[in-house]
Each structure stands twice: as C-alpha cells, then as structure tokens.
Amino acid sequence: MNIWFSLDVLYLIGTASFTISGYLIGARKRFDLLGVMILALLTAIGGGVIRDVLVNRLPRVFVDISPFYTIFATLLVAWLIKLQNKNKGVLFKLFIVADSIGLVAFSLAGAQLGINMQLNLFGVCALSFITAIGGGLVRDMMVNDVPFILHEDFYGTVSILMALLLVLSDQLGFAGIAATWVLFALGLTLRLVAHKSELSLPKVGAQ
C-alpha cells in the first residue's frame, strides 16, 4: 500500500510536470488554446500509453480519471497566472525543471511496473525509458523540434540509471517509500546538474 501510494504521488507529480512542459512549448510556438491543451495532454500521457500498449495492458488513463484532473487543473493554473508571459529566461529554466521532474518521476513509475510484472532487467529498463521519454518524444515531434532524447545526453541516461538503481534497491530489500523518494531526489539532482554543467556522453563521428 505504502509503495503504491508513493508511486501514485510520483505519477501525478510527473503528470503535472510534463503538462507544464507541454504548455510552455505550445505557448512558445504560439498555438491556440486547443492546440496547447492537446500538446500538454499528449506530453503528460503519451509515455504511459505507449508503455501500457507494449505490455498488453489497458492504458491507465482509460480507467483512472485522476491524471485528467491533474492535467486540467495544472493547465487552468498556468492559464490564470499567465505563465507564458513570464521572462523568457525564467520560462526556459522552468521548462527544464518541469521536464526533468517528469522524466525522473515517470522513470521510477515505469521501472516499478516492470518489477511488479517480474520482467528481466532489460524489460524493467525498457519500461522505465519508454514511460519517461515517450510523452516528450511525441511533444517534440508534433512541434517539429529535435527530440530531447537525441541531443540531451543525460536525459535517457538518467532514466536507465533510475531503473537500474530501483532494481538494485529491490534486490537488496530496500524497496519502499524512503528508497523511492531518495532515488527521485538523486535522479532530479543528477539531471539538473548535468544540464547546468553541460555534461555529455562521448560523441560518435568525425570531429
């Protein structure tokens, strides 16, 4: 019960965060209200839907209304405070933070589902990765941007690392609320520090 409560909270945090990232991209691209709503919605639920289809499971958003409450409440608040009118530098930082929170939260949620389904290590990492990057991939492709996963080196890497650490904590008997939130804090810190420091993996190709 406790672990599921913790993951449900993380799931909703990730949903709200990806909603914000979709909203900000839609506003930057000057979409109309419906366009922004569609982009934010697909960003928030895209990864989870793709993941559930792959494991032959009815997508959670088809049976659980809470993600939609979270999405539309987040959109309403963003609209009321006219978030899109803030300083561009502030908006960029907010986008990075929101997208990073969503990435780490969904990575852990996807990995935990893989563990619960008794998948092997590759399966757990795959579900973590797909859940985390699916929505952002759909978002970026819809607005004709290069997906983050292709140019932000410590994006997908963080997702895979979170899955590996969650599996390790489960194997060592440390699974629980405390371990989940420690990993969330660790993953978010790593992603933000990597972005700020412009850390990158070795490039492939001619210099």
Side-chain angles (χ1 to χ4, degrees):
M1 177 67 70
N2 286 338
I3 184 65
W4 281 114
F5 173 77
S6 179
L7 288 170
D8 280 342
V9 171
L10 271 179
Y11 176 71
L12 295 180
I13 288 174
T15 298
S17 298
F18 271 155
T19 298
I20 289 293
S21 77
Y23 177 89
L24 291 175
I25 292 293
R28 179 167 63 83
K29 296 290 185 177
R30 303 186 65 82
F31 288 179
D32 62 19
L33 182 59
L34 180 60
V36 170
M37 291 176 62
I38 291 173
L39 190 64
L41 179 66
L42 292 178
T43 305
I45 70 172
V49 171
I50 296 171
R51 174 204 64 207
D52 290 341
V53 169
L54 284 176
V55 297
N56 197 30
R57 193 177 80 151
L58 187 67
R60 176 172 179 171
V61 293
F62 290 172
V63 293
D64 180 6
I65 199 66
S66 59
F68 292 105
Y69 290 147
T70 302
I71 291 168
F72 290 114
T74 303
L75 286 174
L76 179 60
V77 171
W79 175 259
L80 289 176
I81 67 174
K82 298 189 181 301
L83 185 62
Q84 69 277 8
N85 294 335
K86 305 297 182 184
N87 178 273
K88 288 185 178 180
V90 172
L91 289 180
F92 178 73
K93 292 178 181 178
L94 178 59
F95 170 78
I96 293 298
V97 171
D99 194 70
S100 298
I101 291 173
L103 170 76
V104 177
F106 278 7
S107 294
L108 291 170
Q112 187 62 52
L113 176 62
I115 292 172
N116 293 340
M117 296 182 70
Q118 299 183 326
L119 302 183
N120 61 20
L121 184 60
F122 174 78
V124 172
C125 290
L127 289 196
S128 174
F129 187 78
I130 291 167
T131 307
I133 65 98
L137 186 65
V138 172
R139 175 198 66 210
D140 294 341
M141 292 178 66
M142 286 187 66
V143 300
N144 201 31
D145 283 345
V146 177
F148 257 40
I149 188 63
L150 298 181
H151 65 90
E152 289 282 341
D153 292 313
F154 274 83
Y155 196 77
T157 307
V158 171
S159 177
I160 295 172
L161 181 60
M162 288 299 96
L164 293 173
L165 290 176
L166 192 64
V167 169
L168 179 61
S169 67
D170 182 72
Q171 292 293 322
L172 296 177
F174 294 139
I177 291 178
T180 301
W181 286 103
V182 166
L183 289 178
F184 175 75
L186 176 64
L188 181 58
T189 300
L190 176 61
R191 166 63 185 146
L192 294 177
V193 169
H195 177 81
K196 184 175 179 61
S197 304
E198 298 184 350
L199 298 178
S200 63
L201 298 176
K203 303 296 184 183
V204 177
Q207 296 297 319

